Amino acid sequence: MKILLLNGSIHRNGTTHAALEEVAQTLQQEGIETEIFQIGAGAIRDCMDCGKCSEQGCIFTDDAVNEFTAKAKEADGFIFGTPVYYAHPSGRIQSFLDRAFFSQGAVFRYKPGAAVAVARRGGTTASLDVLNKYFGISQMPTVGSSYWNMVHGMDGEEAHLDIEGMQTMRNLAHNMAWLLKCIEAGKQQGIPLPASERGNRMNFIH
Ligand SMILES: Cc1cc2nc3c(=O)[nH]c(=O)nc-3n(C[C@H](O)[C@H](O)[C@H](O)COP(=O)(O)O)c2cc1C
């Protein structure tokens, strides 16, 4: 079982990474494989709504979105971590996830997900609200913790001073591990994926 964690910050070793690393280490103690995927510092295109998403994914190949969705296909669950910028998730993680989900939404379906937001002070719940929307529309169980999934700090060093935030990260990891093991046990028992209707799609203008 593997969890893919996405660091939506330009900082490879900043606050978001410190929070995700706490989750990853606890998951590993639970016997779950982990990989932290760095969104990096390069330019990330926004979705152009070109409608040309293919079997291989998004038409744009000059950033890591398709590499991420290829890894997502093999993963059993996800943690999306973001710094808060003006009370919303980083622009780069939003552009990245818009294209990942629009082009390859099926690779996420039925797999559990959790969002983590980090900030100096405010805007975490608004940011979590945005990231949780990807799970809600993708039939993904959403995993919580003993507090909302947030850590406070200006940088990676300060993040470790937020001992309740770090506790929240560890409890998130325990909850995620528990759910993964329950899903795996369900598979062993022959419990099928949920039935899912498709086809009814209405635009409100009609
Ligand atoms: C453009 C920008 C906007 C920010 N807006 C907020 C904000 O609204 N609230 C807040 O508490 N911190 C804000 N911050 C601070 C970051 O969220 C904080 O430093 C965070 O720890 C950075 O995480 P990172 O090290 O993973 O990049 C902002 C930082 C930047 C660069």
Side-chain angles (χ1 to χ4, degrees):
M1 286 177 281
K2 180 172 176 180
I3 293 289
L4 186 59
L5 303 95
L6 176 65
N7 178 4
S9 170
I10 204 164
H11 300 124
R12 296 181 71 83
N13 289 303
T15 319
T16 312
H17 182 261
L20 294 182
E21 187 60 37
E22 194 75 9
V23 179
Q25 279 177 15
T26 311
L27 283 167
Q28 287 161 25
Q29 287 160 16
E30 290 263 12
I32 311 285
E33 197 187 328
T34 64
E35 178 178 348
I36 298 182
F37 191 99
Q38 300 281 358
I39 210 167
I44 293 170
R45 291 177 186 263
D46 201 1
C47 179
M48 299 277 282
D49 193 14
C50 66
K52 297 209 171 82
C53 313
S54 67
E55 288 277 300
Q56 283 73 41
C58 181
I59 191 168
F60 295 131
T61 53
D62 51 0
D63 58 32
V65 168
N66 290 336
E67 185 191 344
F68 180 75
T69 52
K71 285 177 184 284
K73 196 171 181 184
E74 308 305 322
D76 301 292
F78 306 93
I79 312 274
F80 299 154
T82 186
V84 172
Y85 288 173
Y86 291 96
H88 57 67
S90 70
R92 58 184 46 248
I93 200 171
Q94 292 182 75
S95 294
F96 194 93
L97 290 178
D98 281 359
R99 284 174 42 223
F101 276 78
F102 205 64
S103 63
Q104 291 282 293
V107 305
F108 299 97
R109 203 174 295 148
Y110 305 125
K111 298 175 181 176
V116 169
V118 309
R120 184 186 72 82
R121 194 165 181 86
T124 43
T125 55
S127 300
L128 290 172
D129 193 36
V130 173
L131 292 186
N132 283 333
K133 298 277 182 3
Y134 293 99
F135 309 133
I137 200 170
S138 308
Q139 296 175 278
M140 299 170 70
T142 307
V143 182
S145 183
S146 46
Y147 195 79
W148 295 294
N149 301 331
M150 59 180 73
V151 171
H152 288 94
M154 266 307 274
D155 52 37
E157 215 169 296
E158 273 194 18
H160 291 285
L161 302 177
D162 181 3
I163 57 170
E164 184 175 357
M166 287 302 184
Q167 173 181 270
T168 304
M169 295 300 102
R170 293 190 294 276
N171 286 337
L172 167 61
H174 290 308
N175 292 342
M176 177 64 87
W178 168 72
L179 188 54
L180 280 190
K181 289 170 189 173
C182 288
I183 291 171
E184 188 54 36
K187 274 187 205 159
Q188 302 298 328
Q189 290 295 312
I191 295 174
L193 289 172
S196 182
E197 283 189 31
R198 307 234 172 252
N200 288 333
R201 193 173 149 90
M202 284 195 67
N203 302 337
F204 278 108
I205 201 162
H206 295 161

